[in-house]
Every structure is written in structure tokens, then in C-alpha cells.
Amino acid sequence: MRTLLPRDLPLWHDARGFLDVRSNDVHTLISYGLARALCAEHPQADTSVVLPAILLHDVGWKRVDPALLSEAVGPNPKHPELVRVHEIEGVRIADGILQRHTPEGVDIAQVLDIIDTHDTVKQAKSLNDAMVKDADKCWRFTPHGVATIAGWFGDGLAETLDMLEDFVMPSMLTDTGRAMARGFIVAARAQMESDDYLKGHSDE
Ligand SMILES: [Fe+2]
Ligand SMILES: [Fe+2]
């Protein structure tokens, strides 16, 4: 089974040119896969809304000055207002892409509504919205997410895992999303500590 559904391939081809900043292309593919996994556990979720929304949610970062990207996020961001900018620009770009393809059965208004508040509103307004928010956040716990975030803030692996566990995990919206995130964390930590355990340095 390939990551992207055939229905969403035309959207991906149009979105790619907007996702070549901040590792957003790989982030998007991984989050799309995570969204499919979440929806498999929540059959009431509508994948024809969730999957186009996660595929297009971050296209707006392309419109933000690359020099300011790293100052938009993190514990003490200098330009937090840019998070709202990428949502607004993202809605505009995603609208163009969706209108061009008008994929069958896709509720474009609902997709755009989810993109519009995917970062700045913490609560979910629907199950579909919760799937997108948790898939987006769950990426941070994956090997690609951890490596990317550690690079942004110059932190080590152990500090990054602790930060994710203490500050991001509690904001997961579904039990499924939290379980997936916890699985990634324990695997990363065990792998990190395995050398020590294998050498017998951390027996206690
Ligand atoms: Fe975003
Ligand atoms: Fe994202």
C-alpha cells in the first residue's frame, strides 16, 4: 500500500512546489500516513476531508520570509504572528489547488476551514479536525520529526524527547494520537539508551 491515495496524487503534485521549505514535503507525507493510520482507528472520520486537509495544511509557509521561518515557532518565538500568516496564506493556496482539481466528493469548504485554524486553535471543532491536528503533531515524535526539531533548536536527542513528552504529548487530542506518539517516544528513547544497556553501564 502506497502512502498517498490515487485521488490525492494530483493535489500532491500541485502542493509540492509550496512544500520545499522547512522539510515540509517529508513532514506532509509522514503526517498524511499518520492521518490514514488515525482514521483507520476512527472509522467515523471522513478521509475525503482529513487527507486533502493534511496534504495541504502547510503550503502557506512558502509565503513566509525564509529568514524568519525559524523565529516563528519554538518555546520563545520572536515572530509568533507568522503562524497565523501561514494559515491564512495556506487557505488561499489550498483553495486554488482544490478548485483546479475539484476532487469528487471532497467538501472543499470543510478542508479549508480545518487548514485555517490548524495551528492557532488548540481545540478540535470536529473529529475530522482532531485527526488533522493529531496527525500534524504526531509527526514531531517520528524519527524525521525528532531530527528536524532537534536541528531547529540545536538540542540533543534526549532533551528533544523530554520536551516532546512534557509539552507536546499532553496536547494530543485523541487517545489514539497519544498512544501513537508514546510509541514513537519509547522506541526512540530505548534505541538511544541501547548502547549503554548493552555495555552494562545503565543496569540500575
Ligand atoms: Fe502548520
Ligand atoms: Fe504541519
Side-chain angles (χ1 to χ4, degrees):
M1 187 176 80
R2 305 272 293 173
T3 300
L4 296 176
L5 291 181
R7 183 203 57 211
D8 294 328
L9 280 173
L11 304 181
W12 163 248
H13 288 304
D14 275 16
R16 277 187 61 176
F18 296 98
L19 293 171
D20 59 350
V21 286
R22 259 179 45 132
S23 304
N24 274 334
D25 33 24
V26 181
H27 160 58
T28 296
L29 287 170
I30 294 173
S31 295
Y32 182 103
L34 293 168
R36 286 186 76 181
L38 282 165
C39 289
E41 297 295 327
H42 293 269
Q44 318 89 309
D46 183 350
T47 52
S48 76
V49 169
V50 172
L51 298 179
I54 195 73
L55 194 57
L56 298 170
H57 78 284
D58 270 342
V59 290
W61 281 121
K62 183 75 173 182
R63 294 276 184 259
V64 173
D65 180 352
L68 301 179
L69 280 178
S70 63
E71 296 171 356
V73 294
N76 297 303
K78 243 201 252 172
H79 293 287
E81 73 282 0
L82 295 177
V83 174
R84 183 66 192 129
V85 170
H86 99 286
E87 289 177 334
I88 294 168
E89 293 296 324
V91 167
R92 206 168 292 162
I93 295 165
D95 192 20
I97 293 174
L98 288 163
Q99 299 295 348
R100 189 150 50 244
H101 296 288
T102 48
E104 213 186 317
V106 172
D107 179 347
I108 293 179
Q110 196 185 154
V111 171
L112 297 179
D113 186 47
I114 289 174
I115 293 173
D116 186 41
T117 55
H118 75 268
D119 272 327
T120 53
V121 176
K122 301 304 167 198
Q123 308 84 355
K125 42 194 154 193
S126 65
L127 178 62
N128 293 336
D129 193 21
M131 297 288 99
V132 172
K133 285 184 193 301
D134 270 12
D136 187 19
K137 219 170 277 152
C138 198
W139 161 81
R140 302 185 200 182
F141 298 84
T142 67
H144 180 261
V146 171
T148 304
I149 290 167
W152 287 345
F153 306 129
D155 284 337
L157 177 56
E159 294 74 34
T160 303
L161 294 175
D162 286 348
M163 181 278 290
L164 288 170
E165 188 162 38
D166 294 344
F167 296 106
V168 183
M169 184 101 76
S171 63
M172 299 298 291
L173 296 170
T174 65
D175 290 347
T176 321
R178 197 173 308 108
M180 283 166 50
R182 203 181 293 284
F184 285 120
I185 282 271
V186 296
R189 196 173 276 139
Q191 186 179 352
M192 177 182 73
E193 294 171 353
S194 61
D195 271 355
D196 262 4
Y197 281 112
L198 290 170
K199 286 183 204 141
H201 292 163
S202 298
D203 288 342
E204 65 284 349

Short mmCIF file of all heavy atoms in Angstrom, two decimals, residues 146-172:
data_model
loop_
_atom_site.label_atom_id
_atom_site.label_comp_id
_atom_site.label_asym_id
_atom_site.label_seq_id
_atom_site.Cartn_x
_atom_site.Cartn_y
_atom_site.Cartn_z
N VAL A 146 11.69 14.23 15.13
CA VAL A 146 12.64 14.46 16.23
C VAL A 146 13.94 15.07 15.68
O VAL A 146 14.46 16.05 16.22
CB VAL A 146 12.93 13.15 16.99
CG1 VAL A 146 14.08 13.32 17.98
CG2 VAL A 146 11.67 12.66 17.71
N ALA A 147 14.44 14.51 14.58
CA ALA A 147 15.70 15.02 14.00
C ALA A 147 15.52 16.46 13.51
O ALA A 147 16.39 17.32 13.72
CB ALA A 147 16.14 14.12 12.85
N THR A 148 14.37 16.74 12.89
CA THR A 148 14.12 18.09 12.36
C THR A 148 14.02 19.10 13.51
O THR A 148 14.62 20.18 13.47
CB THR A 148 12.81 18.10 11.54
OG1 THR A 148 12.91 17.11 10.51
CG2 THR A 148 12.56 19.45 10.91
N ILE A 149 13.27 18.76 14.55
CA ILE A 149 13.06 19.68 15.67
C ILE A 149 14.37 19.90 16.44
O ILE A 149 14.70 21.02 16.83
CB ILE A 149 11.95 19.15 16.59
CG1 ILE A 149 10.62 19.26 15.86
CG2 ILE A 149 11.91 19.89 17.91
CD1 ILE A 149 9.49 18.49 16.51
N ALA A 150 15.13 18.82 16.63
CA ALA A 150 16.42 18.96 17.33
C ALA A 150 17.31 19.92 16.53
O ALA A 150 18.02 20.75 17.12
CB ALA A 150 17.08 17.59 17.48
N GLY A 151 17.25 19.84 15.20
CA GLY A 151 18.04 20.75 14.35
C GLY A 151 17.59 22.19 14.47
O GLY A 151 18.41 23.11 14.54
N TRP A 152 16.26 22.45 14.55
CA TRP A 152 15.74 23.82 14.68
C TRP A 152 16.27 24.48 15.94
O TRP A 152 16.66 25.64 15.94
CB TRP A 152 14.21 23.83 14.78
CG TRP A 152 13.47 23.52 13.51
CD1 TRP A 152 13.98 23.51 12.23
CD2 TRP A 152 12.09 23.16 13.39
NE1 TRP A 152 13.00 23.18 11.34
CE2 TRP A 152 11.83 22.95 12.01
CE3 TRP A 152 11.06 22.99 14.30
CZ2 TRP A 152 10.57 22.59 11.54
CZ3 TRP A 152 9.81 22.62 13.84
CH2 TRP A 152 9.57 22.43 12.46
N PHE A 153 16.25 23.74 17.05
CA PHE A 153 16.55 24.38 18.33
C PHE A 153 17.95 24.06 18.84
O PHE A 153 18.35 24.51 19.92
CB PHE A 153 15.50 23.97 19.37
CG PHE A 153 14.10 24.24 18.92
CD1 PHE A 153 13.12 23.26 18.96
CD2 PHE A 153 13.76 25.49 18.41
CE1 PHE A 153 11.82 23.52 18.52
CE2 PHE A 153 12.48 25.75 17.95
CZ PHE A 153 11.50 24.76 18.01
N GLY A 154 18.70 23.27 18.08
CA GLY A 154 20.06 22.95 18.48
C GLY A 154 20.12 22.09 19.74
O GLY A 154 21.11 22.12 20.47
N ASP A 155 19.05 21.34 20.01
CA ASP A 155 19.02 20.49 21.21
C ASP A 155 19.52 19.09 20.87
O ASP A 155 19.49 18.65 19.73
CB ASP A 155 17.59 20.38 21.75
CG ASP A 155 17.17 21.64 22.49
OD1 ASP A 155 18.07 22.37 22.93
OD2 ASP A 155 15.96 21.87 22.60
N GLY A 156 19.91 18.36 21.90
CA GLY A 156 20.28 16.97 21.74
C GLY A 156 19.04 16.09 21.67
O GLY A 156 17.91 16.55 21.93
N LEU A 157 19.25 14.81 21.37
CA LEU A 157 18.14 13.87 21.23
C LEU A 157 17.37 13.71 22.55
O LEU A 157 16.14 13.77 22.59
CB LEU A 157 18.68 12.52 20.74
CG LEU A 157 17.69 11.38 20.59
CD1 LEU A 157 16.54 11.77 19.65
CD2 LEU A 157 18.39 10.12 20.05
N ALA A 158 18.12 13.51 23.65
CA ALA A 158 17.46 13.27 24.95
C ALA A 158 16.59 14.47 25.34
O ALA A 158 15.44 14.29 25.79
CB ALA A 158 18.50 12.98 26.02
N GLU A 159 17.12 15.69 25.16
CA GLU A 159 16.35 16.90 25.53
C GLU A 159 15.12 17.04 24.65
O GLU A 159 14.04 17.44 25.11
CB GLU A 159 17.19 18.18 25.37
CG GLU A 159 18.37 18.31 26.32
CD GLU A 159 19.54 17.39 25.94
OE1 GLU A 159 19.74 17.16 24.73
OE2 GLU A 159 20.21 16.88 26.86
N THR A 160 15.28 16.72 23.36
CA THR A 160 14.14 16.84 22.44
C THR A 160 13.04 15.86 22.82
O THR A 160 11.85 16.21 22.85
CB THR A 160 14.61 16.59 20.98
OG1 THR A 160 15.66 17.51 20.68
CG2 THR A 160 13.47 16.80 19.99
N LEU A 161 13.42 14.63 23.15
CA LEU A 161 12.41 13.64 23.55
C LEU A 161 11.70 14.06 24.83
O LEU A 161 10.48 13.94 24.96
CB LEU A 161 13.06 12.26 23.72
CG LEU A 161 13.62 11.61 22.45
CD1 LEU A 161 14.34 10.30 22.78
CD2 LEU A 161 12.54 11.38 21.41
N ASP A 162 12.48 14.59 25.80
CA ASP A 162 11.86 15.05 27.06
C ASP A 162 10.88 16.19 26.80
O ASP A 162 9.78 16.23 27.36
CB ASP A 162 12.94 15.53 28.04
CG ASP A 162 13.72 14.36 28.64
OD1 ASP A 162 13.28 13.20 28.46
OD2 ASP A 162 14.78 14.61 29.25
N MET A 163 11.31 17.14 25.93
CA MET A 163 10.46 18.30 25.63
C MET A 163 9.15 17.83 24.97
O MET A 163 8.05 18.28 25.32
CB MET A 163 11.23 19.25 24.70
CG MET A 163 10.50 20.52 24.30
SD MET A 163 9.35 20.31 22.93
CE MET A 163 10.44 20.05 21.54
N LEU A 164 9.26 16.88 24.02
CA LEU A 164 8.06 16.39 23.34
C LEU A 164 7.12 15.71 24.33
O LEU A 164 5.90 15.91 24.31
CB LEU A 164 8.45 15.39 22.23
CG LEU A 164 9.12 16.01 21.00
CD1 LEU A 164 9.69 14.91 20.10
CD2 LEU A 164 8.13 16.86 20.21
N GLU A 165 7.71 14.92 25.21
CA GLU A 165 6.89 14.18 26.18
C GLU A 165 6.19 15.13 27.16
O GLU A 165 5.02 14.98 27.47
CB GLU A 165 7.76 13.18 26.95
CG GLU A 165 6.96 12.25 27.82
CD GLU A 165 7.75 11.02 28.23
OE1 GLU A 165 8.96 11.15 28.48
OE2 GLU A 165 7.16 9.93 28.28
N ASP A 166 6.96 16.14 27.63
CA ASP A 166 6.41 17.04 28.67
C ASP A 166 5.45 18.09 28.10
O ASP A 166 4.49 18.46 28.76
CB ASP A 166 7.55 17.77 29.40
CG ASP A 166 8.41 16.79 30.20
OD1 ASP A 166 7.94 15.65 30.42
OD2 ASP A 166 9.54 17.16 30.58
N PHE A 167 5.75 18.61 26.89
CA PHE A 167 4.99 19.77 26.42
C PHE A 167 4.08 19.49 25.22
O PHE A 167 3.10 20.20 25.02
CB PHE A 167 5.95 20.92 26.06
CG PHE A 167 6.70 21.42 27.25
CD1 PHE A 167 8.05 21.13 27.43
CD2 PHE A 167 6.05 22.18 28.22
CE1 PHE A 167 8.73 21.57 28.55
CE2 PHE A 167 6.73 22.63 29.35
CZ PHE A 167 8.07 22.32 29.52
N VAL A 168 4.40 18.49 24.40
CA VAL A 168 3.57 18.24 23.21
C VAL A 168 2.57 17.11 23.47
O VAL A 168 1.40 17.22 23.13
CB VAL A 168 4.44 17.95 21.96
CG1 VAL A 168 3.55 17.78 20.74
CG2 VAL A 168 5.45 19.09 21.74
N MET A 169 3.05 16.06 24.12
CA MET A 169 2.18 14.89 24.36
C MET A 169 0.85 15.29 25.03
O MET A 169 -0.22 14.82 24.62
CB MET A 169 2.91 13.86 25.21
CG MET A 169 2.12 12.61 25.43
SD MET A 169 2.65 11.30 24.37
CE MET A 169 4.15 10.81 25.18
N PRO A 170 0.87 16.16 26.09
CA PRO A 170 -0.41 16.48 26.75
C PRO A 170 -1.40 17.18 25.83
O PRO A 170 -2.58 17.22 26.14
CB PRO A 170 0.02 17.40 27.91
CG PRO A 170 1.47 17.14 28.10
CD PRO A 170 2.02 16.78 26.76
N SER A 171 -0.93 17.75 24.72
CA SER A 171 -1.85 18.48 23.85
C SER A 171 -2.43 17.61 22.73
O SER A 171 -3.21 18.10 21.91
CB SER A 171 -1.16 19.72 23.26
OG SER A 171 -0.07 19.32 22.45
N MET A 172 -2.06 16.33 22.70
CA MET A 172 -2.69 15.44 21.71
C MET A 172 -4.18 15.35 22.05
O MET A 172 -4.56 15.29 23.22
CB MET A 172 -2.07 14.04 21.76
CG MET A 172 -0.57 13.97 21.45
SD MET A 172 -0.08 14.51 19.81
CE MET A 172 -0.79 13.23 18.79
#
